[in-house]
Structures are given as structure tokens and as C-alpha cells.
Amino acid sequence: MTTMTFGKALNAGLRRALAGDDKVVLMGEDIGTLGGVFRITDGLKAEFGEHRVVDTPLSEAGILGTAVGLAYRGFRPVVEIQFDGFIYPAFDQIVAQVAKLHYRSRGSVRMPITIRVPFGGGIGAAEHHSESPEAYFAHTAGLRVVACSNPADAYVMIQQAIASDDPVLFFEPKRRYHVKGEVDETASLADAKPIGVASVVASGTDVTLVTYGGLVQTARDAAVAAAEDGISIEVIDLRSLAPIDYATVEASVRRTGRLVITHEAGQQGGVGAELAASVTERCFEFLEAAPVRVTGHDIPYPPAKLERHHLPDLDRILDGVDRVMGRPNSLSGVEA
Amino acid sequence: MNPSDRDATGLLTRPDHFVQLVTPTGERRSDAEFDRWVADVDTAALGRLYRDMAIVRRLDAEATALQRQGELGLWPPLAGQEAAQIGSARALRDDDFVFSSYREHAVAWCRGVGPAEMLTVWRGSAASGWNPFEHRMAVPQIIIGAQALHATGYAMGSAWQGSDAATITYFGDGATSEGDVNEAFVFASSFDAPVVFFCQNNQWAISEPVGLQSKQPLARRADGFGMPGIRVDGNDVLAVLAATRSALDRARRGDGPTLIEAVTYRLGPHTTADDPKRYRTDDEIAEWRERDPLTRVLSLLAASGVDADGFEREVAEEATRAAAELRTAVTSIPDPEPMSVFDHVYAEPNSHLARQRDHYARYLAMFDEAEEGVR
């Protein structure tokens, strides 16, 4: 086990993927000489050369479009979109091409492209630098969407994403890049938890609290705080947003009877909406209360001085917990 | 001069011609094509251009300091690009319209944007600092190159309404690789849109040298899109003024767009979050400091008989006062009210957001009630 930051764990995972398969090629803006604006690819160009770690011209559509061509040629492109809010020029290539080519070629063309996206807020950034666009991609057939929440998962999941023959949107919570954790660099990928499986990161009996990415730690903190009030929360780190590991979520909800989902992205059409609907369909008779979503508002990401009024935090999560527990909460007395 | 070097409107189109009217050491060079565009610029006018550049340089340094002191979240410094921005923005009429990127603080200064308005966004206090229609300058664009299309559309509309006002858009060398910029070139050219594409080639797109975006001078791209390209010394305020005036004139006459490549240099980091030592050398920076946009103007003023030292001091004092004003302005920017997080998402009432807003108001009220309870 080695102690390393989230960012270093991604760097180590990318290094191992580059070393293990010469078809793996990294592409992005400022990822080579600079090592990325978050230094996730630090040192990799020097180690593997400019044809493995490629500084591209400033064109997100160009990066994804050429990645499609490289995939046609048998490469496994790993592209970095510098910030969440910069992904939209590439949206057409991702949704119309990357997601659909396997289908359109009746399975003959594979698109093993990993699209790394630093996402989410909480760092006081300028506009377009704090967004959570994962639901657009989770909505798109043909894409796999994952979000990692800690260094150990980051190290393993980035390698699993690269090894996947399907395209993967790989969301990295940028506010967690500097958090340290234990990483086992000797672990075999074959023994690791599959990328599509969720993790129960805290056990509990009263409420199932589901989240992913940057809010996993906040959810764990909420569970600790709730325990002081005698409420036992089970926290699930979803890890995979498309497909969702319903087996893990359902098993928990059948025991707790209550579901709270929290994410930074807005509520409307979000991952939480999909979860709430599916769990209600599948576990209706086990539910003691309607599932509750605690999400960012349905607004453009606000300026830095307002982000604490947008992002779910411990108190807002606990308000949602109070609601499913039937305790006094912000919607008490209001027809829901 | 070969006639084939001119387009139908007589504008110089040789892209490798490097328009420079004042050398780095301050000598006035004559230019058969561009001198006429600045024939009216006398010593006093040149002094005003220097004043603009000196003040924005000082404001820019102050903003960087304010970021270091935690008063701003981020700042993208313009140092080194004063001539490119002042020379082009001073060529504009009040009724022209500007679509900029995020580094055009000097352009904003020329458009009358005040210090608090300039810093609001970078302090993270509001989504924008000024009303675009008041200053005839759009809110700054962070998405690389998107504004080039907006400028083109605005210009198309302007022409369709019979106005002779022009539109100018600013972007960097990196942006020329984005689809949006190239699509803007196509639209502008096809519709003869009265727009000036002002590219500040400051040599670096964060860590990426301009050579990664283009194998040839960026101005040459214009030819392929069917518009003239002008390559100008972006550190020569007089040359930039001349080139921009000529392009604006072409736009006003209904002859269509022009691409100007202003060759300049970003002396500082991409933003205060960037560390340029990781990708470029001190020697390179020293080389560009030799081509400083301000000193050459002082030298030229001195050669014209002006007490340049005295003038420099006088302007420096004014710049110091402007910087102090900027510093005061920062703390005058009000912190946003929590519930304003819901403002301006839609122009019309929206039932979904109204419900979410009500819920959040109730949520915040719980804390007030809890506090009341404690008292």
C-alpha cells in the first residue's frame, strides 16, 4: 500500500495503462509538457514520448473526432477534457459518433475511448469550470459513465475504463484531487471490483444514501452526524452511473426502506431522477417513504460566492434524511 | 507593390507583410499602405495611447496582486498585450460592438467599463460585471472561440438593418483551432459580415506554443476563407490602430470581414493559477521584453521633443491613483444575497424553478428559526 493523492493515483493508473499496452495513447490540451492543468498526466510525456502523450490543438471536437479515427485504427485513446464545461464542442462527436459506432457498424468497430473529465464544483472557480454534465451522457445509449470518489478507486477504475471495449465517460471530482488515501499499486485488475459495481462505504439500517464523486465524503460525514441523532445511514458510492448497479442499491433499500440520493448536478432529468424512479418501480412495497433527491438547483453553475448555496452539503443532505425519516424538515407542513 | 497583393477594395492582403509603424526602439517607419490610417495621430494622440497602455498595465498588476491577496478568485493578466488591445479598441466607434474573450481588460477599459464592473466576475460575486448594451461590449467569453460566431451573427444583423457600425471579436492563437472560429470565418465571408476578427497571437495557449495550432502565420488562414488577412506587430500600438481602422473601414463599406493577426506576447501566466516556468524559458520572456509596447512609444515621444521622463512620471502617478481606485472598488462589490442564486435563469416565470426557489427559502428559514430559538 502506498499513500498518495487522488491526482497521483490517477497518474499512477495512467502510467500503468500506458506501460501495459502500447495502443493506449493520451490526448488533450496541455497534458504533455505541462502535465495537465491539474497535473494528472505529470511526467507521462517525458516517460512515454510525444506519440503516446499528445498535446493537441485547442479543439475538443477535434480531440474526440481524431480519437474515433485512432480507435478505428486499433488504438485505445484516453482523452482529457480540461474542464467539465469545455466538453460541449465535443458533444456531437461523443453522442453521434463515439456512442453509436459499435451499433452502426453492427459490432465490427469498437470504440474503447476513455474520456476523462474533471467535474463538479467546490473550488471557487470561474464559470464553465464547475459543472456536472454526467446526466447528458448517462442518457446516451452506447456510453458507459463512471465517477470515482477516492484514490484507490481512481487508480483501479481508470485502468478498467481504458481496458473496456466500450467508450467510458470518466468523471473525476476535481475538488478531491488533493485528498490522500491508500493505494495498492500491486493489485491485479482481474481481482478488483468490476467497474460497474457500486460500493457500500458505510453500513446502516435506517436510510440508504446514494451518491458518487465529490459528494461521497460529504455523505459519509452526514452518516456520522446522523448517527449522533440515532439515525443509521448506509452510504452507497454508486461509482457507475450508466449502467447503475441496482442490485446493490435495491438490496440496501429493501433493508432500510428509505432512499436519499444526492448529487451536485441539477435535479431535473438527473441521475437521481433515474434512481428514484427505478427503485420505486422495483422496491415499492419495501419503501417507508418516497425517495428524496438532494441536488444542485436547476440553474447554471453560480459564481463562486454563491456556490455554497448551490451545492448539497452535510446540512442539506441531513434535511433530506429528516424528510424520509418523517422528522421535522424544510418541507414540513408543505404538500410535496 | 504588386497589384495582386491587393484585393478589390485596395486593402493589402499580403499576409507575410508585417505591419510595423514604430520599431521596438521607437523609430517611426513609413508604410505606404498603413500610414494614411494614422495620419491624424499627433504627439498628443500618441501620448493618450501611451496613457491608456500605462494605466491598464498598472490596473492589471493591481488585479494580479488582489488575486494573490485573496480578493479575487482568479485573474487572467494582459501584461504584454497592451498595444494590441488599446490600439484596436481605440479604433472603434462608440456604436461598434465588441465580443471579447476573457483577457481583454484593456478593451473593456476603452469601452468605459469601471473598475468594480471589471472585477466582479473575477471576484466571483456575480455572473457578469456589466451590461453589454451599456458599453457595447458583450460579457467576456471563457469558452474558447465561441464569441467569434456571436460577433459574426451580430454583424450580419447590423448589416441587414442598414447600419454602418462594425463588430470586432477578440480571440487568441489557440482559439483558431476551434471549430467555432473557423465556422465564423465561413459565415462572415459568405455573408460579407461587417466583422473584424482580431486574433491576439500571444504565442502561448496555456502551455502550448502557437506552432501546435498552425504551421504558418495565422493571418494566412484568411486567404482560404476568402477574406484579407493582416499580420501586424501587436506590440506596436500605432500599427494596430492603423490595421484595425483599415479593417473597420472595409467592414463599414460593406466589403466584409478581415482577419487581423496581432503578433504579441503574454508576459505573465495564462491566469494566476498557471505556472509558465513549466513550459517556457526566461530567455524567451527577456527577448519579448525587448519588444515592450510601452517603451517604444516613450522613445518616439522623446524623439518628437516631448519631455518623456516627465510625461512618464505624470502618467505613472495617474496610474497609481487608478490602481488605488481599483483596490477600493474590489471591496465595494457587494456579496450576493443567497436567494439571488435563482435569479436570471429564465426571462419568463418558470414553475419548476419557482418551486425549487421556495423550497430553498424554507430551508434557509429553518436556520433563522433555529437561531431565534437559541436566543
Side-chain angles (χ1 to χ4, degrees):
Chain A
M1 287 291 207
T2 316
T3 303
M4 63 176 80
T5 62
F6 199 119
K8 281 286 177 209
L10 284 167
N11 182 270
L14 288 167
R15 177 177 288 104
R16 198 163 148 189
L18 281 161
D21 182 352
D22 62 9
K23 290 290 176 34
V24 172
V25 55
L26 274 51
M27 302 167 71
E29 297 161 5
D30 302 293
I31 68 163
T33 305
L34 186 66
V37 297
F38 292 109
R39 309 290 185 262
I40 304 303
T41 53
D42 194 20
L44 298 179
K45 180 184 166 190
E47 198 173 329
F48 294 95
E50 63 182 5
H51 295 296
R52 302 292 306 286
V53 182
V54 184
D55 272 327
T56 67
L58 259 67
S59 168
E60 296 75 16
I63 294 168
L64 263 300
T66 53
V68 167
L70 283 158
Y72 251 107
R73 182 77 196 175
F75 285 87
R76 306 186 86 82
V78 183
V79 312
E80 176 178 295
I81 297 296
Q82 196 162 74
F83 283 90
D84 34 56
F86 300 175
I87 200 168
Y88 308 112
F91 198 71
D92 170 58
Q93 287 290 341
I94 296 172
V95 173
Q97 308 300 332
V98 174
K100 297 185 173 75
L101 268 167
H102 187 258
Y103 180 80
R104 285 165 51 202
S105 67
R106 294 197 289 156
S108 52
V109 179
R110 293 188 178 184
M111 286 288 129
I113 299 173
T114 301
I115 305 169
R116 295 184 37 241
V117 188
F119 87 123
I123 62 164
E127 61 177 347
H128 310 297
H129 288 67
S130 302
E131 301 188 3
S132 296
E134 61 271 20
Y136 297 124
F137 302 101
H139 184 70
T140 301
L143 300 176
R144 188 179 262 283
V145 183
V146 304
C148 47
S149 70
N150 63 77
D153 275 1
Y155 175 71
V156 173
M157 287 171 72
I158 188 64
Q159 295 178 68
Q160 292 172 322
I162 294 168
S164 169
D165 277 343
D166 285 320
V168 180
L169 266 292
F170 192 88
F171 286 99
E172 305 166 3
K174 65 178 85 79
R175 65 159 122 165
R176 308 288 301 168
Y177 274 152
H178 300 293
V179 172
K180 287 183 178 168
E182 294 292 308
V183 174
D184 181 4
E185 287 182 276
T186 62
S188 146
L189 280 192
D191 301 335
K193 175 181 287 210
I195 195 168
V197 176
S199 290
V200 177
V201 294
S203 298
T205 53
D206 296 326
V207 178
T208 301
L209 175 58
V210 179
T211 189
Y212 53 86
L215 282 179
V216 171
Q217 186 57 49
T218 316
R220 298 177 77 147
D221 294 344
V224 171
E228 290 169 18
D229 274 352
I231 301 171
S232 171
I233 295 182
E234 181 145 298
V235 180
I236 295 179
D237 177 356
L238 212 49
R239 300 188 351 135
S240 178
L241 315 183
I244 287 171
D245 173 14
Y246 282 111
T248 300
V249 177
E250 284 172 33
S252 177
V253 171
R254 283 167 203 265
R255 279 189 290 103
T256 63
R258 299 176 187 88
L259 174 64
V260 175
I261 308 136
T262 183
H263 52 60
E264 293 185 22
Q267 185 183 76
Q268 189 160 288
V271 170
E274 184 59 35
L275 254 169
S278 294
V279 169
T280 303
E281 283 172 351
R282 296 165 190 225
C283 306
F284 186 68
E285 64 273 30
F286 293 88
L287 289 172
E288 306 279 344
V292 165
R293 288 167 290 167
V294 180
T295 70
H297 308 304
D298 288 309
I299 60 171
Y301 200 88
K305 282 181 184 282
L306 280 173
E307 70 178 342
R308 71 188 179 90
H309 287 291
H310 173 63
L311 293 173
D313 59 10
L314 187 141
D315 286 328
R316 278 170 70 185
I317 291 171
L318 290 179
D319 182 55
V321 168
D322 284 339
R323 198 164 155 211
V324 292
M325 290 298 292
R327 290 158 50 106
N329 66 83
S330 61
L331 286 179
S332 292
V334 179
E335 275 197 45
Chain B
M1 177 80 48
N2 186 327
S4 68
D5 290 333
R6 296 152 184 271
D7 69 5
T9 63
L11 194 82
L12 191 77
T13 58
R14 288 170 304 156
D16 287 347
H17 179 78
F18 186 60
V19 185
Q20 186 185 64
L21 302 180
V22 183
T23 67
T25 51
E27 288 145 29
R28 179 69 170 84
R29 282 172 56 168
S30 66
D31 185 300
E33 284 304 309
F34 286 92
D35 276 348
R36 68 189 173 104
W37 294 106
V38 287
D40 62 314
V41 179
D42 55 13
T43 304
L46 196 61
R48 286 195 293 276
L49 292 170
Y50 173 82
R51 172 184 170 275
D52 281 335
M53 292 197 291
I55 290 175
V56 297
R57 173 171 286 189
R58 184 68 185 81
L59 292 177
D60 182 64
E62 193 70 13
T64 295
L66 286 167
Q67 194 281 334
R68 299 295 182 214
Q69 292 153 12
E71 296 290 346
L72 299 179
L74 189 76
W75 182 253
L78 65 76
Q81 300 175 220
E82 296 86 353
Q85 296 188 17
I86 295 293
S88 55
R90 286 302 184 207
L92 298 172
R93 286 192 333 216
D94 281 350
D95 64 341
D96 292 336
F97 207 98
V98 178
F99 287 85
S100 78
S101 89
Y102 44 82
R103 202 186 301 285
E104 280 70 61
H105 318 302
V107 176
W109 156 264
C110 291
R111 301 306 279 177
V113 170
E117 291 176 311
M118 205 178 287
L119 298 184
T120 296
V121 163
W122 304 105
R123 191 168 166 80
S125 303
S128 63
W130 65 81
N131 179 338
F133 301 108
E134 185 182 334
H135 298 290
R136 307 200 64 73
M137 177 168 178
V139 294
Q141 180 61 252
I142 284 178
I143 299 299
I144 305 298
Q147 71 278 15
L149 278 164
H150 308 163
T152 301
Y154 190 93
M156 287 159 60
S158 174
W160 291 344
Q161 291 180 327
S163 163
D164 76 338
T167 306
I168 189 168
T169 179
Y170 291 86
F171 50 86
D173 42 301
T176 62
S177 294
E178 293 282 4
D180 282 3
V181 169
N182 291 274
E183 289 157 20
F185 290 169
V186 173
F187 274 67
S189 185
S190 291
F191 292 105
D192 290 326
V195 59
V196 176
F197 296 110
F198 195 91
C199 174
Q200 293 174 81
N201 171 4
N202 71 10
Q203 312 300 322
W204 290 96
I206 309 190
S207 72
E208 299 187 342
V210 63
L212 184 59
Q213 319 295 340
S214 182
K215 292 290 189 192
Q216 60 171 356
L218 292 165
R220 272 203 211 170
R221 295 234 179 125
D223 192 40
F225 289 97
M227 64 179 160
I230 306 174
R231 198 158 195 252
V232 60
D233 181 348
N235 284 7
D236 172 359
V237 72
L238 202 59
V240 172
L241 181 69
T244 313
R245 281 179 170 178
S246 75
L248 288 167
D249 182 66
R250 179 180 145 86
R252 296 192 207 295
R253 284 187 281 110
D255 293 331
T258 302
L259 170 62
I260 296 175
E261 176 192 3
V263 181
T264 181
Y265 192 75
R266 157 162 67 74
L267 286 171
H270 163 67
T271 68
T272 44
D274 176 37
D275 174 15
K277 282 190 169 44
R278 291 177 68 105
Y279 54 82
R280 62 186 193 183
T281 64
D282 290 343
D283 284 352
E284 180 183 306
I285 297 165
E287 202 177 296
W288 278 94
R289 283 196 188 281
E290 295 292 310
R291 302 171 199 158
D292 189 85
L294 277 74
T295 50
R296 72 179 76 185
V297 177
L298 274 185
S299 303
L300 182 59
L301 285 170
S304 317
V306 173
D307 168 17
D309 289 344
F311 179 60
E312 185 184 10
R313 269 197 306 279
E314 181 190 316
V315 173
E317 282 165 22
E318 192 184 350
T320 302
R321 288 194 296 275
E325 246 176 69
L326 189 80
R327 180 164 286 273
T328 310
V330 161
T331 49
S332 78
I333 298 169
D335 279 347
E337 290 298 322
M339 291 307 292
S340 71
V341 78
F342 295 98
D343 292 351
H344 310 305
V345 180
Y346 298 95
E348 295 175 354
N350 184 281
S351 58
H352 172 72
L353 197 62
R355 188 186 179 92
Q356 214 164 59
R357 187 183 191 284
D358 284 351
H359 184 186
Y360 193 62
R362 282 176 189 282
Y363 171 79
L364 289 181
M366 276 195 324
F367 291 91
D368 296 342
E369 284 159 20
E371 254 175 52
E372 295 282 324
V374 170
R375 280 182 216 134

